[in-house]
Amino acid sequence: MRLKRLLLERYGLFRGKVELHFSDSGIDIIVGDNESGKSTIMDGILSTIFGTKREERVNLIPWNAPSSGESLIELKTDKSMKIQRVIETQHTTLTMNQDTEPLVVFSDKASPQGKKEAAHYFDMLNEIFGFSDRTVLESLTFLKQNEAETKLDQKIRELISGSGKGDYKKAIDSLKKEALLITRDVYWSNPSKDRLLENLGNELIELKDSLEVALNVRDEGGDVEGELKEADAGLGKLEKKLKTEEVKLETIKKFRESIEKYGRSKKDHDKLLGGIKETEKLIKGMDELEEKLNDEFVLLIKEAGVSLRDELNELKGIEQKKKELANEIEGLKMHEVESVELLSGGVKAAIVLSVAVIGIIAGKMWNSTQMSALLAFVFGSIAAALLMMLGRKKPVSTDTRLSVRESDLTGLIEKEEELIEKYYNILLDRSINDIHKVLDSVKEWKTELKLMQEIRSGKKSLEELEKESNSLLQTILLTETTLENLEKEYSELLKTERKMGAAEALEAEQTEVITELSTEHKSLEEVKHENEKKIAKHEGRGVGNIDLLTHEITEKEEESESKQLESDALQLAVRTLEESAEKFQESHHNRLSEQISGWFERFTGGRYSGVTLDDDWKPEIRTKEGKRIGPQHLSVGARDQLYFAMRLSLAELMSEDVNLPIVLDDPFVNYDDKRLKISMELLDEISKEHQVLLFTHSPEYAKWGNVVLDLNDYWKKQ
Amino acid sequence: MVRLLHLADLHLGAKFKWLGEKSATRKEDLSEAFKRAIDFAVDEKNKIDAVLFAGDTFDSHKPSNETTELFRAQLDRLKKGKIHSILIPGNHDAYEYSDSLWREEFDWLHLLGEPEVGAPLTLLINSEECHFYGFAFDSRKSNEPFDEFKTTGSEGFHIALIHGSLGVGDHIEMHSRSVPLNRKRLVKTGMNYIALGHYHNFDEINEGGVTVVYPGTLEGMGFGEDGERWLVVAELSQKGVKIRKEKINKRTLLSETIDLSDSSDATSTVRDRLKELSDDNTLLKLELTGSAESTVDVDSLLKAYEEQFFLLKIVDNLSLLDSKRIEILRSEVSVRGNFVDSLLNGLEKLDDRERSLRELALRKGLAHLGGID
């Protein structure tokens, strides 16, 4: 490829137009002092082809000019083309000369920051040059002052990396370091303002732990609370139930107690019953006796009845007659009779009392109050009945009879006194034998009574006797009823006994229920207590807020995720870059080595037979003598030559179809004559295959080629 | 007529960690907005009868004393104005925490703190019986689809307070941290007004005589709560429910995305937009998308414009992978060319993460190799 023409108008230093026509062969030379615009022209070449970024455009406005102008470049590869560019708008027109007809193939804005449409333009550049990046062309073909390098391996790596700025090896190292900085702390790193992935991970673990604790505490607390509530409710229910059951138990207990009481009384009753039976026997004996007595009474009464009635009738008659007399006697004897009768009443009461006491004593002997009462009653009744008969007054009739009666009365009084004495004796002696004695005495009395009755027989009122008999019978009947009642009571008692058995079972059952309930109650109370303790533990225990923790975790996870992505991306970049370098090595290493060797051999006139590049692109130079040396052992001039060789080789590699022009910006300043000579030869060699543009401040180099522009002259004309 | 000021998601005491040094100011904004809301309530001309707090009144179940005191002080103002206050806890300030602040006593506050709906709280307001139904969010009890919720059917207005997630139509939004709600069921409850909380943006549904409202936050808590924030007043009368909204927020959040694929000068495009939007009270999140034909210098843009916003965030989601200029680079005979080619290879088969990885690897690699500016 050759540049044919460059036109710059209102561009940088140039307020007006500057135009260069390049030669078809040989070295083209542009002469100019410092600040005369050599760099502007070099930039103009690149900017016209590749465009200018917005922020750089402002620098292209010439001083004192309203705006920047246009630039134009004509170049020729296999075909001729023309690139016109409006600096300010970056509107670019690419015209191709297909055969003879010019064809506009692109006309739009085209700058490095340009919109999509610009891509089409750069695509075309890519096709023409093999790249579309201004920096590539710059690094490969624009040689400036004093660039000869000792670190040639690094230089070559920079060149093959792409832009000529980044050494892929350095890039890999930097990426690795960056990755390390993200993932973990390393001793040589500065404390990063960003959090490390490792730290984030730890923070996340902590946060998640806190969240777990919060969730657990909440669940536990909740559970405990729930359990406590349940326990409380359960306890309440149980307490209620217990109360009911206890009330039941109380009832049962009372029932049982009463049954027990009955049981005790049953024993008593059993005894009583024995007593009753005994008493029955006694009563029966007595009954028999009574019956016998009654029979005798009845007989006596019947026998005495007829004569007595007659006598009574007679007595009634006589009585009427003797009434006055009798009254007189009565009046006379009043005091005595009254005292007798008084005495006699007292005796009677004493007897009844005594007999009743005997009954009581007898009863007590059977250990029964009831029996005592009964016997007291029985005996008392008998005694009373007897005494009634005993205490009956004799009717008063005639004088004779009166006197008889009086004597009788005296006898009777005596008798009564005797009896009273006997009773007192009995009352004093409480031995059981005395009862028999009493009974014997009763018999005796009966006998005596009989005698007395016989004596009185004629004078006793029949109705009264009947009355007495009935009353006795009634007493007996009453006794019988009492007995019946007792028997009834006893049978009830038997029923109760069965009830009591049931009640005992019921009570046992109930007690069991209560025991169970109490156990349950107790365990529930324990649960409650435990839970209360747990709750007390939880109270005031500041757990994290679940939502806030979750939110923070999400944030940290996102941050961690993005850091992880960055870390992974860096590792991917490292891996890919390593592979890419390897791939480049595989496909281009040999050819590049050969190419460099060729150029270097040509540049050095065969002083060196070749250059080998190792895997890191470090060159090893073979001398004519077959010695292998590193670039540091080369002379400065030889190193320049090697560097040129490398750039040329790479430029040829990257732009296989177009031999790129080589632009030199006064590289030979401070060169001695020997070095200059070598350089001269070098440029000659290059110019055989590449267009060479030499920008220089020194007109001395004019002899090297064709001066296409003398900037010093240009400015003089302006 | 009964007028209810419906507040929800106040998130008092929120720390705004993501705002860095601006967090304290934003926290203050939140308190101020709450105070302004109460100013509004106690202002006699607004005739507010009751203030409803539909959950997440506080950002945490155990806020600082300062924050709690702020709340108490506002309750006190409501007390002086004889304006009822009815509150349900939310998920952030859940009652279920054993150390939840709601376990303390609050004067002049009807706290519906039970996890289940019980008998309503009935208040006589302007000689109208108002029945308030509500329950506290409980993570173990409140997650079942919300079903049996009906009014008692008695005379007066029926108002429900729920902190939950409203699904669309039949959909039930199942979420472990809120009560799942169903729109169709809500409108069948027979309530006059359902005061919701949990979602941070205003939303209103009027259906079947039921008005359901999310009032949203008073100040945006994060991006997504963009634009104006509202004070919501529900006016309940025999004619129905009328919703009145009044702007409340001091600052405005804004999320915007710019596709720079077709921009001839991406940085300028972004710069121009920043100039248009610049506002002291704006929190802007600007996302850059599209293929990166030219890179945007995010750092220098931030430097130049962050002073003109309360907060400026620029998210560079430009895709270098899709750009033409990267495509061109892949044929370059260089390690870089190989690198780009390798990363662009098989791009269409990748998932999002893999793609992001490639994008980032490309950027990282080219930052060292040159090729992007």
Side-chain angles (χ1 to χ4, degrees), chain B residues 42 47-48 79 89 117 143 148 152 156 158 180 185 196 214 222 276 284 346 354 363 370:
Chain B
V42 298
K47 295 177 186 166
I48 298 297
K79 185 181 184 178
V117 194
N143 287 326
E148 295 304 314
T152 52
H158 298 267
R185 284 189 189 146
L196 295 182
Y214 275 113
E276 281 166 29
L284 176 67
E354 294 281 319
R363 282 174 185 239

Side-chain angles (χ1 to χ4, degrees), chain A residues 224 228 528-541, chain B residues 98:
Chain A
V224 169
L228 190 68
K528 188 185 165 180
H529 185 63
E530 277 301 306
N531 287 341
E532 273 171 348
K533 270 205 289 192
K534 275 188 201 166
I535 281 175
K537 204 174 79 187
H538 288 305
E539 289 294 339
R541 179 170 159 190
Chain B
S98 61

Side-chain angles (χ1 to χ4, degrees), chain A residues 476-488:
Chain A
I476 286 162
L477 273 171
L478 197 74
T479 312
E480 275 170 357
T481 316
T482 313
L483 268 172
E484 260 174 40
N485 283 343
L486 269 172
E487 271 175 355
K488 247 189 205 165

Side-chain angles (χ1 to χ4, degrees), chain A residues 265-274 370 486 489 493:
Chain A
S265 20
K266 188 205 149 211
K267 267 185 199 163
D268 290 344
H269 277 287
D270 283 345
K271 273 184 192 168
L272 185 68
L273 203 67
Q370 257 175 293
L486 269 172
E489 201 180 326
L493 220 61

Side-chain angles (χ1 to χ4, degrees), chain A residues 56-80:
Chain A
E56 290 160 357
R57 269 172 241 162
V58 72
N59 300 326
L60 295 179
I61 303 169
W63 184 78
N64 232 357
S67 63
S68 52
E70 289 183 16
S71 66
L72 178 149
I73 200 161
E74 281 178 22
L75 45 90
K76 192 177 187 300
T77 53
D78 52 338
K79 45 190 127 165
S80 295

Side-chain angles (χ1 to χ4, degrees), chain B residues 155-170:
Chain B
E155 280 286 302
F157 295 122
H158 298 267
I159 301 124
L161 290 84
I162 315 168
H163 194 75
S165 314
L166 186 59
V168 177
D170 280 335

